Amino acid sequence: MQEPSSSLINTAAELLRNGGLVAFPTETVYGLGANASDPVAVRRIFAAKGRPADHPLIVHLHSPENLDFWAKDMTASAWRLAEHFWPGPLTLILKRRNAPLTVTGGQETVGIRIPDHPVALALLKAFDGGIAAPSANRFGRVSPTRAKHVRAELGDRVDLILEGGPCRVGVESTILSLVNDQPRLLRPGSISLSALQQVLGTEIITSASVGDIRAPGLLKSHYTPETRFEVHPIHDLKRRRDELAGSGIRTAVMFIGAEHREQPENPALTPCFMPDTPAEYARKLYAVLRLLDRAEFGVLLAESPPDTEAWQAVNDRLKRASCR
Ligand code: TXA
Ligand code: MG
């Protein structure tokens, strides 16, 4: 993989200044970026993704210096989180100051994050402004973790795709809302609830009654492959596998670890073995789902991971991907 040269980064920044769309790598997933201060450019993001206009976008920055321009009322604890976790896979929902309503989906709050990826940071520095960017996939689909995923899904709808290799984290950022009295976890990610609570020193609400917050990451069905996808505990998984393969339905099974390498001989059956640590699993998940989704299986099955905090982000994505 060749990292973009500084002249390509400058070209990308110039494209953004001229209202273009630039896809770029972050440590979580690839983003589809536009100048956050240019509502016309931002509307192009919604069009390219087929995303409803009332779903807010995250504003990406390269330093917290200009945070006060985009958001207001940053509390001491918000600053503590920012200092501790940025650059990194944490999005803070704050009260809006100058972030355009096109970006915030008409809401008085704004999502901000400083990504931890050299290409994203180089682009943000060269552009020297906020870049509004959702994940670079069609609305409701699995997020891209490689440049080729963006090319396959959005191709000619983007002016430029910057290469940055496979994303290190692999699932989208943790989203924490700080606009109410008590902080609320809106989307689990690789930064865990307890890590956030430790830095904040206060409790975070998770069972969000999110009726008033428009966040597609919170829709029950999101991040979905096109193929039917089911997640089961190991015993049910094997039963379902045998049932499907027995009736000749082409079935892929995502096991966790190599423990279940012994598989019944059946031409309809394709086992695959996912990593047994949550970070490694998360890194691979979307790429594997994409691959299996294109391979014309009748059904995709996955073994459900343990119900522990370390697996929370993976469990969340598996649940949404299997929901229809
Ligand atoms: O890791 C990530 O967060 C990636 C990379 C590219 O930064 N971005 C990403 O963006 O996942 P997107 O748009 O696919 O998901 C962002 C989520 C959406 O569910 C959106 O509704 C929510 O953040 N969000 C953004 N601004 C918000 C706000 N003001 N209030 C509530 N939710 C917000
Ligand atoms: Mg997304």
Side-chain angles (χ1 to χ4, degrees):
M1 197 265 323
Q2 186 139 30
E3 290 237 331
S5 63
S6 57
S7 84
L8 188 59
I9 294 284
N10 288 333
T11 303
E14 195 57 28
L15 276 169
L16 290 174
R17 280 190 278 274
N18 293 327
L21 296 186
V22 175
F24 62 96
T26 81
E27 78 282 33
T28 57
V29 301
Y30 277 72
L32 176 61
N35 179 356
S37 301
D38 177 351
V40 177
V42 170
R43 269 185 221 113
R44 290 189 61 206
I45 294 180
F46 289 98
K49 277 186 66 101
R51 175 161 167 162
D54 61 353
H55 288 291
L57 305 177
I58 296 170
V59 176
H60 296 71
L61 304 175
H62 69 80
S63 95
E65 245 166 67
N66 293 328
L67 197 65
D68 283 341
F69 173 83
W70 300 95
K72 61 182 180 190
D73 302 345
M74 277 284 283
T75 59
S77 53
W79 278 116
R80 234 183 1 258
L81 287 171
E83 270 159 26
H84 198 275
F85 292 108
W86 283 349
L90 175 66
T91 296
L92 295 178
I93 307 296
L94 303 164
K95 294 204 177 115
R96 179 183 83 91
R97 194 193 299 273
N98 290 314
L101 290 168
T102 336
V103 172
T104 70
Q107 303 189 69
E108 289 302 327
T109 57
V110 58
I112 309 264
R113 130 174 157 86
I114 301 180
D116 184 19
H117 191 290
V119 175
L121 289 171
L123 176 66
L124 283 159
K125 280 183 192 142
F127 176 62
D128 200 22
I131 300 181
S135 50
N137 50 281
R138 301 280 178 114
F139 181 64
R141 293 290 168 208
V142 175
S143 294
T145 51
R146 284 157 196 258
K148 68 176 181 193
H149 299 161
V150 182
R151 218 167 287 125
E153 200 152 321
L154 295 174
D156 52 4
R157 298 176 171 219
V158 192
D159 297 304
L160 179 66
I161 300 172
L162 292 175
E163 264 290 350
C167 299
R168 173 170 60 79
V169 175
V171 293
E172 305 81 353
S173 59
T174 304
I175 303 183
L176 184 71
S177 170
L178 298 174
V179 296
N180 298 107
D181 290 344
Q182 246 188 313
R184 271 191 196 177
L185 185 77
L186 298 186
R187 182 172 71 184
S190 67
I191 295 178
S192 70
L193 185 67
S194 51
L196 292 171
Q197 288 186 156
Q198 203 162 16
V199 173
L200 261 181
T202 55
E203 210 180 312
I204 294 170
I205 308 177
T206 54
S207 57
S209 62
V210 290
D212 56 336
I213 298 172
R214 287 187 294 270
L218 303 173
L219 297 181
K220 252 171 70 191
S221 160
H222 202 57
Y223 316 111
T224 54
E226 284 174 45
T227 316
R228 181 179 178 81
F229 181 51
E230 301 174 13
V231 184
H232 300 289
I234 190 69
H235 291 296
D236 299 344
L237 184 83
K238 287 183 173 170
R239 195 181 34 76
R240 186 78 174 119
R241 170 200 64 188
D242 296 343
E243 178 183 289
L244 289 164
S247 46
I249 297 173
R250 288 195 67 228
T251 305
V253 193
M254 296 159 62
F255 289 97
I256 299 173
E259 204 183 311
H260 302 286
R261 231 171 242 291
E262 292 295 307
Q263 290 292 313
E265 283 283 331
N266 188 316
L269 196 64
T270 304
C272 70
F273 302 94
M274 297 294 288
D276 58 6
T277 63
E280 282 291 324
Y281 192 110
R283 193 174 302 159
K284 290 229 168 99
L285 174 60
Y286 288 155
V288 169
L289 281 181
R290 248 168 219 279
L291 210 68
L292 296 178
D293 203 17
R294 284 211 325 261
E296 294 181 5
F297 286 103
V299 180
L300 310 179
L301 298 179
E303 175 182 354
S304 41
D307 189 15
T308 58
E309 183 179 51
W311 287 92
Q312 198 191 0
V314 167
N315 276 321
D316 173 80
R317 302 314 188 272
L318 287 176
K319 199 162 115 205
R320 291 175 205 286
S322 58
C323 182
R324 38 190 78 226

